[in-house]
Amino acid sequence: MTTDAASARQWQEWHQQRLDAVRAPYGPLSVTGTYWIAEADADGVLEGVPGQWRQTADAVVLRADIMDGLMLDGEPLVGEVELSPGPQSTVRVQHGERRLELLRREDGWAVRVHDPGAPARRVFTGIRTTPYDPHWSLAGHFRAYPARREVRVENADGRERTLELGGEVVFTAPDAREHSLAVSVVGSGALWAVFADGTSGESSYRFRFLRTGAPGPDGSVRVDFNRATLPPSAFVDGFLCPFPPPGNTLDTPVPVGERDVVH
């Protein structure tokens, strides 16, 4: 098997895993809303969310009675409990099959509702994706900033928030020109970029995400636009995805990767 054929097979496996994750019972299609606790009424009631919610500087206080039907860690919740952020995979509060995920963004707290019966899961039929093209799997170089930078960018919900950037990735595209993207450093050193390009808003969604592995000791990194993904906000409302920071709109079309949602 040639290197390109092996890469195409690996990409196909990745693409299938991506589809499975998107349409999972509690994947992005299950989100029916994100509700800011600061917008609760005087009694702490959020429209469409059981219980009474209020936020403190470091936590969220949830009060419920038996009629609310809330469960905490698998047990009925009656009375008041203080909730603080845990691992992203941990959702402690449930209402029937719905999961109530606690979020914090800057100084604000929110409840995100996941419902496996969400309409978006029923109508979803796939992700329009370009077949693998080896010409868009590029050798890149990561240049770390001397210090982390913070920029304010608009998010998909119309609010501005801080996006932390750790450096830039430089690469030569198939147009034979050098380009760069500002990236965040996440996890164990992997890189994440929010970008737009010459196809954005036309033959692809208005922006996309790109993830790479951790750069090597010399800064080398594989920049594979075949694995460019749609942000969660492309699937349903209720996500807070950041738009591309200044400089991350490429002046060349990127015709590969995920393009848009198929309904």
Side-chain angles (χ1 to χ4, degrees):
M1 182 180 294
T2 66
T3 300
D4 286 352
S7 295
R9 179 179 55 78
Q10 292 169 358
W11 175 87
Q12 187 61 49
E13 293 172 353
W14 168 85
H15 175 58
Q16 185 59 54
Q17 292 168 358
R18 169 77 173 150
L19 286 173
D20 292 343
V22 166
R23 59 191 173 204
Y26 295 99
L29 292 164
S30 73
V31 171
T32 57
T34 297
Y35 305 88
W36 295 97
I37 294 173
E39 297 174 0
D41 68 16
D43 295 321
V45 175
L46 293 167
E47 184 176 356
V49 183
Q52 296 172 285
W53 304 78
R54 62 181 174 87
Q55 63 185 33
T56 67
D58 301 310
V60 167
V61 177
L62 170 60
R63 174 180 289 276
D65 60 37
I66 195 65
M67 297 302 295
D68 288 316
L70 290 174
M71 305 285 286
L72 176 67
D73 298 333
E75 300 292 335
L77 173 58
V78 178
E80 189 171 279
V81 63
E82 183 176 274
L83 303 172
S84 57
Q88 192 172 12
S89 60
T90 301
V91 178
R92 299 182 61 194
V93 183
Q94 291 186 259
H95 180 248
E97 290 191 333
R98 297 197 301 168
R99 294 179 178 177
L100 309 186
E101 176 189 5
L102 191 62
L103 305 177
R104 186 174 188 177
R105 294 294 185 272
E106 298 181 339
D107 294 330
W109 296 85
V111 180
R112 176 171 291 159
V113 179
H114 295 259
D115 184 351
R121 289 194 70 228
R122 295 197 298 269
V123 302
F124 175 77
T125 59
I127 301 174
R128 187 164 58 87
T129 308
T130 302
Y132 180 82
D133 182 347
H135 297 97
W136 280 96
S137 179
L138 310 170
H141 183 78
F142 173 61
R143 299 172 180 168
Y145 296 143
R148 297 287 177 93
R149 299 178 185 176
E150 293 184 346
V151 296
R152 299 288 289 180
V153 298
E154 186 178 357
N155 285 208
D157 64 343
R159 306 185 188 191
E160 275 197 359
R161 296 184 180 87
T162 296
L163 179 65
E164 188 177 271
L165 302 172
E168 64 180 17
V169 168
V170 181
F171 55 90
T172 299
D175 63 6
R177 293 189 296 141
E178 186 176 270
H179 301 272
S180 66
L181 289 174
V183 296
S184 301
V185 181
V186 298
S188 58
L191 307 178
W192 172 66
V194 187
F195 78 98
D197 66 275
T199 72
S200 298
E202 297 182 8
S203 61
S204 70
Y205 188 69
R206 56 184 174 172
F207 65 98
R208 290 181 283 170
F209 290 170
L210 180 69
R211 293 175 171 83
T212 78
D218 60 351
S220 61
V221 64
R222 177 59 48 178
V223 182
D224 189 353
F225 282 96
N226 292 284
R227 303 195 184 203
T229 60
L230 297 175
S233 58
F235 298 99
V236 294
D237 294 332
F239 285 99
L240 317 176
C241 303
F243 290 174
N248 270 27
T249 297
L250 300 173
D251 62 355
T252 190
V254 178
V256 294
E258 295 183 353
R259 318 301 294 165
D260 218 332
V261 179
V262 180
H263 294 294

